[in-house]
Amino acid sequence: MTTATKTLATLPASVRKDHGKGAARALRRDGKIPGILYGKGQTPVSIALPLKEVSLEYARGRFRSRLINIKLDDGKTVQALPKDLQFHPVTDIIEHVDFIKVDASTKLNVMVPVKISGQEKSVGLKRGGVLNIVRHEIEFLCVPDAIPTHIEINVQALDIGSSVHINDITLPKGITPVIKRNFTVATIAGRRAEEEEVKPVAADATAAAGAAAPAAGAAAPAAGAAAPAAAGAAKKDDAKKPEGKK
């Protein structure tokens, strides 16, 4: 069970002095979007970023869980975590983005995806088991330098009935699960139990249908037998009546 980290992406940005809707519209006409860079105990800095590059980083996924290097036009580079994005209500184009400055001591809550490997050679899957990923993402509390790109779980040695818990995963220094209990991340379950639950239901339905058919068939002859009996009784009554009377 392993984890992985990755080099930070970089976004160029320029400090902007103009504010308001008119200034924002002017930026968007130039292919840029407004943003704000927040820092703990610091005055927020208004910035402008290229829409194309921000959109590409957003399309990579996990945008709010990845640190970004913001390279300002004054030569400074700031590490920041995307906090909030605003989109156009019709086109879904990004219109505004906020960042939070971080340093080596900042504690962050991030969602990290789970990556499964070893399915092709998995003992349990070869025997007909089913992989069940209980958590596709895990929330961690960590320092910026320890944010992993994913948590990898190798299921090659897992048999049917085996499970992987968070305590089975070797985590890097500086990263802690937000949930304190030893929760399940993935399991390999058997198919047989599921099939046994379905088969009795199907068998009962077939038996019920078969029993209903003879019952319906029996009802039809009974109705047919009642008609001759009624006709015979009518003939006997006519024979008892005196002549000339109806």
Side-chain angles (χ1 to χ4, degrees):
M1 314 306 172
T2 60
T3 60
T5 55
K6 197 171 183 179
T7 305
L8 302 186
T10 299
L11 288 174
S14 58
V15 178
R16 59 187 176 93
K17 297 180 180 179
D18 296 331
H19 303 82
K21 294 182 178 180
R25 283 195 293 266
L27 281 176
R28 295 180 186 116
R29 285 195 297 269
D30 292 336
K32 298 180 180 181
I33 57 173
I36 299 178
L37 188 58
Y38 293 95
K40 186 176 181 180
Q42 301 176 14
T43 303
V45 179
S46 298
I47 57 176
L49 305 104
L51 172 60
K52 182 179 179 180
E53 295 188 36
V54 173
S55 299
L56 288 174
E57 285 301 322
Y58 179 79
R60 287 177 54 198
R62 298 180 53 247
F63 188 65
R64 293 181 178 87
S65 299
R66 288 191 290 116
L67 282 181
I68 303 290
N69 280 329
I70 305 295
K71 189 174 182 180
L72 299 172
D73 52 2
D74 61 2
K76 294 181 181 179
T77 299
V78 179
Q79 281 192 357
L81 185 72
K83 177 186 178 183
D84 189 30
L85 293 95
Q86 295 177 14
F87 298 85
H88 190 279
V90 177
T91 63
D92 280 338
I93 294 175
I94 299 173
E95 291 194 324
H96 191 279
V97 59
D98 292 340
F99 295 89
I100 300 177
K101 291 189 217 179
V102 299
D103 55 38
S105 62
T106 304
K107 289 283 187 177
L108 304 170
N109 279 65
V110 294
M111 298 297 295
V112 180
V114 172
K115 179 181 178 181
I116 305 295
S117 63
Q119 294 102 310
E120 299 81 4
K121 298 181 180 180
S122 171
V123 176
L125 296 181
K126 282 185 175 181
R127 293 181 56 210
V130 180
L131 176 64
N132 177 28
I133 304 175
V134 180
R135 294 183 181 272
H136 292 270
E137 288 185 322
I138 301 174
E139 186 177 8
F140 291 100
L141 181 66
C142 58
V143 295
D145 292 341
I147 299 177
T149 59
H150 62 268
I151 300 296
E152 182 174 343
I153 299 175
N154 192 307
V155 297
Q156 180 173 335
L158 298 186
D159 202 347
I160 292 175
S162 299
S163 301
V164 177
H165 296 81
I166 188 62
N167 289 352
D168 300 323
I169 303 171
T170 303
L171 300 175
K173 184 179 179 180
I175 180 171
T176 306
V178 172
I179 299 175
K180 301 304 180 183
R181 59 184 171 80
N182 187 24
F183 56 86
T184 303
V185 180
T187 66
I188 294 185
R191 292 181 183 273
R192 186 174 299 174
E194 297 177 1
E195 293 174 355
E196 289 177 352
E197 290 179 1
V198 174
K199 286 181 179 179
V201 175
D204 292 345
T206 303
K235 288 181 179 180
K236 288 181 180 179
D237 290 341
D238 290 343
K240 291 178 181 179
K241 291 179 181 179
E243 294 182 1
K245 293 184 178 179
K246 296 181 180 181

